[in-house]
Amino acid sequence: ALLLACQVRLVMKAHSFIRENVPRVLSSVKDKAGTVHIPRMSQYLYFLFAPTLIYRDNYPRNPTIRWGYVATKFAQVLGSLFYAYYIFVRLCIPQFRNSSQETFNLRGLVLCIFNSILPGVLILFLVFFAFLHCWLNAFAEMLRFADRMFYK
């Protein structure tokens, strides 16, 4: 699942890169301009690691890296993962452990599933928070990526 997510991300980034650069190159060829602006490899590599799916030649950059902020975000990732593990071990596993010792019946299965819905949703929220907020903001800070208010 993690490998598939990385592949989807890379395909989306490649699509954005091609969509932004091919029209620019084709228009300069059609106009028979002497210089064709092709992005440098460093720009493409930065785009691959930056937490954005929209390619630009230059992004706003912070002047410095706030290492305390990076450490805080990584600590939040670890805390979220430990809390998700705790919820899973304390609330989900006992439900299924008890049901595996009994004979199968539909009522027991439905009760087991309904008792696992709330812990499952909490784990889902924690994983989304850990990855989409903490992990990506930590890497954005280390890359000095300043444009983090995209939707504002």
Side-chain angles (χ1 to χ4, degrees), residues 46 60-70 137-146 148:
Y46 183 83
R61 306 280 300 268
N62 288 331
T64 60
I65 299 173
R66 299 175 295 172
W67 291 106
Y69 181 80
V70 173
N137 269 314
F139 275 94
E141 185 66 33
M142 287 189 291
L143 291 171
R144 298 183 328 174
F145 187 78
R148 294 188 216 160

Coordinates of all heavy atoms in Angstrom, one line a residue, residues 46 60-70 137-146 148:
Y46 N 13.9 19.2 -6.7 CA 13.2 19.9 -5.6 C 11.7 19.7 -5.7 O 11.1 19.4 -4.6 CB 13.6 21.4 -5.7 CG 13.0 22.2 -4.5 CD1 13.6 22.3 -3.3 CD2 11.8 22.8 -4.7 CE1 13.1 23.0 -2.3 CE2 11.2 23.5 -3.6 CZ 11.9 23.6 -2.4 OH 11.4 24.3 -1.4
P60 N 8.4 30.0 -3.4 CA 8.8 30.8 -2.3 C 9.6 30.0 -1.3 O 9.2 28.9 -1.0 CB 7.5 31.4 -1.7 CG 6.4 30.7 -2.4 CD 6.9 29.9 -3.5
R61 N 10.7 30.6 -0.8 CA 11.6 29.8 0.1 C 11.8 30.7 1.4 O 11.9 31.9 1.4 CB 12.9 29.6 -0.5 CG 12.9 28.9 -1.8 CD 12.8 27.4 -1.8 NE 13.7 26.7 -1.1 CZ 14.8 26.1 -1.6 NH1 15.1 26.3 -2.9 NH2 15.7 25.4 -0.9
N62 N 11.8 30.0 2.5 CA 12.2 30.6 3.8 C 13.7 30.8 3.8 O 14.4 30.0 3.3 CB 11.7 29.7 5.0 CG 10.2 29.7 5.1 OD1 9.6 30.7 4.8 ND2 9.7 28.6 5.7
P63 N 14.1 31.8 4.5 CA 15.6 32.1 4.6 C 16.3 31.0 5.4 O 17.5 30.7 5.2 CB 15.7 33.5 5.2 CG 14.4 33.7 5.8 CD 13.4 32.9 5.2
T64 N 15.7 30.5 6.5 CA 16.3 29.5 7.4 C 15.4 28.4 7.7 O 14.2 28.4 7.4 CB 16.7 30.2 8.7 OG1 15.5 30.7 9.3 CG2 17.7 31.4 8.5
I65 N 16.0 27.3 8.2 CA 15.3 26.2 8.6 C 15.1 26.2 10.1 O 16.1 26.4 10.9 CB 16.0 24.9 8.3 CG1 16.2 24.7 6.8 CG2 15.3 23.6 8.8 CD1 17.1 23.6 6.3
R66 N 13.9 26.1 10.6 CA 13.6 26.1 12.1 C 13.7 24.7 12.5 O 12.7 23.9 12.4 CB 12.3 26.7 12.3 CG 12.1 28.2 11.9 CD 10.8 28.7 12.1 NE 9.9 27.9 11.2 CZ 8.5 28.0 11.2 NH1 7.9 28.8 12.1 NH2 7.8 27.3 10.4
W67 N 14.9 24.3 13.1 CA 15.1 22.9 13.5 C 14.2 22.5 14.7 O 13.8 21.3 14.8 CB 16.5 22.6 13.7 CG 17.3 22.6 12.5 CD1 18.2 23.6 12.1 CD2 17.3 21.7 11.4 NE1 18.7 23.3 10.8 CE2 18.2 22.1 10.4 CE3 16.6 20.5 11.2 CZ2 18.4 21.4 9.2 CZ3 16.9 19.8 10.1 CH2 17.7 20.2 9.1
G68 N 13.8 23.4 15.5 CA 12.9 23.1 16.6 C 11.6 22.7 16.1 O 10.9 21.8 16.6
Y69 N 11.1 23.4 15.1 CA 9.8 23.1 14.5 C 9.8 21.7 13.8 O 8.9 20.9 14.0 CB 9.5 24.2 13.4 CG 8.2 24.0 12.7 CD1 7.0 24.4 13.3 CD2 8.1 23.5 11.4 CE1 5.8 24.3 12.6 CE2 6.9 23.3 10.8 CZ 5.8 23.7 11.4 OH 4.6 23.6 10.7
V70 N 10.9 21.4 13.2 CA 11.1 20.1 12.5 C 11.1 19.0 13.6 O 10.4 18.0 13.5 CB 12.4 20.0 11.7 CG1 12.7 18.6 11.2 CG2 12.4 21.0 10.5
N137 N 4.7 18.8 6.8 CA 5.2 20.0 7.3 C 6.7 20.0 7.7 O 7.4 20.9 7.6 CB 4.4 20.6 8.4 CG 3.2 21.4 7.9 OD1 3.5 22.3 7.1 ND2 2.1 21.2 8.4
A138 N 7.1 18.9 8.3 CA 8.5 18.7 8.7 C 9.4 18.7 7.4 O 10.4 19.4 7.4 CB 8.7 17.4 9.5
F139 N 9.0 18.0 6.4 CA 9.8 18.0 5.2 C 9.7 19.4 4.5 O 10.7 19.8 3.9 CB 9.4 16.9 4.3 CG 10.2 15.6 4.6 CD1 9.6 14.7 5.5 CD2 11.4 15.4 4.2 CE1 10.2 13.5 5.9 CE2 12.1 14.2 4.5 CZ 11.5 13.3 5.4
A140 N 8.6 20.0 4.5 CA 8.5 21.3 3.9 C 9.4 22.3 4.6 O 10.1 23.1 4.0 CB 7.1 21.9 4.0
E141 N 9.5 22.2 5.9 CA 10.5 23.1 6.7 C 11.9 22.8 6.3 O 12.7 23.7 6.2 CB 10.2 23.0 8.2 CG 11.0 23.9 9.0 CD 10.6 25.4 8.8 OE1 9.4 25.7 8.5 OE2 11.5 26.2 8.9
M142 N 12.2 21.5 6.2 CA 13.6 21.1 5.9 C 14.0 21.6 4.5 O 15.2 21.8 4.2 CB 13.9 19.6 6.1 CG 13.9 19.2 7.5 SD 14.4 17.5 7.8 CE 13.0 16.6 7.1
L143 N 13.0 21.6 3.6 CA 13.3 22.1 2.2 C 13.1 23.6 2.1 O 13.2 24.1 1.0 CB 12.3 21.4 1.2 CG 12.6 19.9 1.0 CD1 11.4 19.3 0.2 CD2 13.9 19.7 0.3
R144 N 12.8 24.3 3.2 CA 12.5 25.7 3.3 C 11.4 26.1 2.3 O 11.4 27.2 1.8 CB 13.8 26.5 2.9 CG 14.9 26.3 3.9 CD 16.1 27.1 3.6 NE 16.2 27.3 2.1 CZ 17.1 28.1 1.6 NH1 18.0 28.7 2.3 NH2 17.1 28.3 0.3
F145 N 10.4 25.2 2.2 CA 9.3 25.5 1.3 C 8.3 26.4 2.1 O 7.8 26.1 3.1 CB 8.6 24.2 1.0 CG 7.4 24.2 0.0 CD1 7.7 24.3 -1.3 CD2 6.1 24.2 0.4 CE1 6.7 24.4 -2.2 CE2 5.1 24.3 -0.5 CZ 5.4 24.4 -1.8
A146 N 8.1 27.6 1.5 CA 7.4 28.7 2.3 C 5.9 28.7 1.9 O 5.2 29.3 2.7 CB 8.0 30.0 2.0
R148 N 2.9 27.3 2.3 CA 2.1 26.3 2.9 C 0.7 26.8 3.1 O -0.1 26.0 3.7 CB 2.7 26.0 4.3 CG 4.1 25.3 4.1 CD 4.6 24.8 5.4 NE 6.1 25.0 5.3 CZ 6.8 25.0 6.4 NH1 6.3 24.8 7.5 NH2 8.1 25.2 6.2

